[in-house]
Amino acid sequence: MNTVNPRPYDSSRRREQARHNREAIVVAARQRFLNVGFTATTIASIAADAGTSADTIYKSFGGKAGLLRAMCTDALKGEGTIPAEQRSDAMQAAEADPRRMLRGLGAFTTEVAPRIAPLLLLLSTTAEVDPSMAQLRADFDTARLTRMTHVAQGLASKFQLRLGLSVDEAAEIMWVYSSPELYSLLVLTRGWRPERYGEFVGESLVDALLGGRDADKGTEPLDQV
């Protein structure tokens, strides 16, 4: 008696379909949240735009708050297959000139800020009527300060910070220059190009953390001082 072997289970196709569905949901939710508003947007409307079911969205994200959290997390990864944070860490580790390093951080804001800032600003607006959104915004602000502290520690371990500047103060300065509010003022309100904004952030960090272009004597690697 001949037996028929069952077709092998194609898990890769299933994963690809799941990834495609997730991307479609995130794109639809971003457009709805930013154009219609968080409160006015319904899960049903997102599902219709994404070509999926509301049940799928609830199972994947747990609702609008979970969806917005996932959107912010995705936005922070930037472009490409390697997350922006990993690429930034590699740049910082390889860079021997602190001025170029800080300007490189400014360049990363050109990539990441247009993706994450509008979402964080949306969180701030929604927080006025939804305490859970206020907590979500606070969580991202705290995570950003933690990240900036890590960067400041790395900078201080390799180079001399501006005289009298502590690591914590350096982290807080970087936290301010990476804030969505600054992006909103210069790019969304004043119409700066993101590239100009990134250059401004980089040069401002050089001035604030190292003392500017004329303070080269204080910026050599520590093992050479």
Side-chain angles (χ1 to χ4, degrees):
M1 178 177 178
N2 294 329
T3 59
V4 177
N5 292 326
R7 294 177 63 184
Y9 178 70
D10 190 352
S11 61
S12 62
R13 180 178 296 180
R14 186 182 181 92
R15 288 195 300 269
E16 178 61 23
Q17 184 61 47
R19 185 191 64 80
H20 175 78
N21 289 343
R22 186 184 188 281
E23 289 181 354
I25 291 169
V26 168
V27 169
R30 184 183 180 96
Q31 292 175 345
R32 283 275 178 177
F33 287 161
L34 296 181
N35 295 329
V36 179
F38 183 84
T39 303
T41 295
T42 65
I43 292 294
S45 66
I46 296 172
D49 291 348
T52 187
S53 68
D55 187 55
T56 296
I57 296 177
Y58 280 116
K59 287 181 178 179
S60 300
F61 300 96
K64 290 196 295 184
L67 183 51
L68 187 51
R69 178 184 288 275
M71 291 164 60
C72 290
T73 301
D74 286 352
L76 288 170
K77 295 178 182 178
E79 303 172 357
T81 57
I82 301 176
E85 183 174 309
Q86 293 182 25
R87 286 181 279 123
S88 176
D89 284 343
M91 179 276 293
Q92 295 170 54
E95 186 54 71
D97 185 321
R99 293 169 295 281
R100 287 198 300 266
M101 190 195 102
L102 293 173
R103 289 168 187 145
L105 294 179
F108 274 106
T109 67
T110 301
E111 174 186 341
V112 176
R115 295 168 173 266
I116 186 62
L119 298 177
L120 294 179
L121 294 170
L122 175 66
L123 276 175
S124 295
T125 301
T126 310
E128 298 174 2
V129 295
D130 189 336
S132 67
M133 294 296 99
Q135 183 59 55
L136 186 56
R137 172 61 200 268
D139 290 345
F140 277 105
D141 282 345
T142 299
R144 184 161 51 86
L145 181 58
T146 299
R147 169 65 180 170
M148 295 301 103
T149 301
H150 169 75
V151 175
Q153 289 170 339
L155 180 67
S157 70
K158 293 175 61 178
F159 310 105
Q160 291 283 340
L161 293 176
R162 186 171 190 159
L163 185 63
L165 189 68
S166 70
V167 168
D168 286 343
E169 289 169 333
E172 290 165 349
I173 289 170
M174 287 190 282
W175 185 75
V176 169
Y177 277 108
S178 62
S179 69
E181 287 77 15
L182 183 62
Y183 176 86
S184 177
L185 286 171
L186 294 178
V187 177
L188 302 182
T189 301
R190 298 306 308 161
W192 282 28
R193 293 179 298 104
E195 293 77 15
R196 182 188 179 194
Y197 174 73
E199 291 172 358
F200 165 77
V201 169
E203 292 300 336
S204 297
L205 291 178
V206 170
D207 291 340
L209 304 185
L210 305 177
R213 294 186 178 92
D214 297 329
D216 291 350
K217 291 183 179 179
T219 60
E220 293 89 351
L222 289 180
D223 60 0
Q224 296 181 18
V225 175

